[in-house]
């Protein structure tokens, strides 16, 4: 699986599946969630309501993922996942890792070949951006080594986040050959 890290708007990605940084209600919110529902139109919300009525009466737990139509977006599916709210007292990184893994698993089940992720939990849920990037890039690289989909794209909203991501990508790649 090829990993791309780009600056952009998640709603404009020409991929099979885009991931939504949702909340447990699945009924919309601000940030990525607001943009996806605004640009994707009411079909996405209708699917989310159906999921709530049928399979997720208590909402979607953090760390899990579920797919709906992508409505008017260029993608075919939206995969909704719920990131953890950042906590200084408790390490919730396993839940954040699970968001990436479960979204990739759902994408695989759907037969998606390409997927675009926002930086889950790094906005309203206040995860420190560099650590959120380390988790996202670490998970997507690990999935890439196991095969999986054709391409995964991490779509970042702010230029300073892209600069940090380039730093994380370089650090994660380890020292260049010939340096110690
Ligand atoms: N495209 C790509 N990235 C974006 C976009 C966009 N259109 N808009 C914002 N970002 P957030 P969370 C970046 O808050 O932290 C919602 O209300 C943003 O700068 O969307 O997981 C939900 O309903 C940040 O880096 O998601 C939940 O209640 C990243 O996307 C809650 O927010 C994630 O920010 C989820 O919070």
């Amino acid at each position: 699986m090829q990993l791309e890290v780009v600056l952009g708007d998640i709603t404009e990605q020409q991929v099979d599946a885009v991931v939504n940084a949702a909340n447990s209600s699945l009924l919309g919110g601000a940030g990525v969630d607001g943009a996806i529902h605004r640009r994707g139109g009411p079909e996405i919300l209708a699917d989310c309501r159906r999921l709530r009525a049928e399979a997720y009466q208590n909402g979607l737990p953090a760390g899990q993922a579920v797919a709906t139509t992508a409505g008017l977006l260029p993608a075919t599916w939206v995969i909704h996942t719920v990131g953890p709210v950042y906590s200084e007292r408790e390490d919730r990184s396993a839940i954040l890792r699970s968001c990436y893994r479960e979204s990739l698993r759902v994408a695989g089940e759907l037969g998606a070949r390409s997927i675009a992720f926002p930086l889950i939990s790094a906005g309203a849920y206040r995860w420190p951006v560099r650590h959120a990037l380390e988790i996202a890039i670490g998970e997507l690289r690990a999935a890439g080594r196991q095969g999986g989909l054709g391409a995964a794209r991490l779509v970042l909203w702010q230029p300073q986040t892209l600069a940090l991501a380039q730093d994380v990508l370089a650090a994660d790649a380890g020292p260049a050959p010939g340096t110690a």
Side-chain angles (χ1 to χ4, degrees):
M1 184 176 82
Q2 192 195 333
L3 170 62
E4 293 171 11
V5 181
V6 302
L7 196 61
D9 185 331
I10 194 79
T11 64
E12 292 173 1
Q13 303 305 307
Q14 309 266 349
V15 286
D16 294 339
V18 292
V19 175
N20 182 18
N23 60 62
S24 285
S25 81
L26 290 177
L27 301 178
V32 165
D33 202 6
I36 283 180
H37 283 284
R38 210 164 36 245
R39 297 282 297 274
E43 266 187 62
I44 302 177
L45 188 59
D47 252 13
C48 286
R49 288 194 196 284
R50 207 168 305 127
L51 282 168
R52 281 299 307 273
E54 290 164 7
Y56 296 97
Q57 292 183 1
N58 297 320
L60 180 68
Q64 294 189 22
V66 71
T68 66
T69 175
L72 302 171
L73 298 179
T76 304
W77 299 282
V78 173
I79 297 175
H80 306 262
T81 189
V82 180
V85 175
Y86 182 72
S87 163
E88 280 179 1
R89 294 181 310 281
E90 189 186 24
D91 180 7
R92 298 177 179 165
S93 358
I95 303 172
L96 186 52
R97 290 184 187 285
S98 170
C99 290
Y100 290 93
R101 288 180 196 179
E102 285 298 298
S103 298
L104 288 165
R105 185 184 61 72
V106 170
E109 279 177 10
L110 291 167
R113 296 294 302 144
S114 54
I115 186 168
F117 284 88
L119 192 59
I120 301 164
S121 287
Y125 286 174
R126 302 188 313 274
W127 208 283
V129 173
R130 190 184 173 97
H131 192 218
L133 285 164
E134 286 167 354
I135 288 176
I137 289 168
E139 287 303 317
L140 296 177
R141 279 202 162 145
R145 284 192 290 273
Q146 290 160 21
L149 314 181
R153 192 177 296 164
L154 182 61
V155 181
L156 305 173
W157 190 232
Q158 286 156 318
Q160 64 267 36
T161 314
L162 182 63
L164 262 180
Q166 278 152 355
D167 215 44
V168 170
L169 282 164
D172 195 43
T179 62

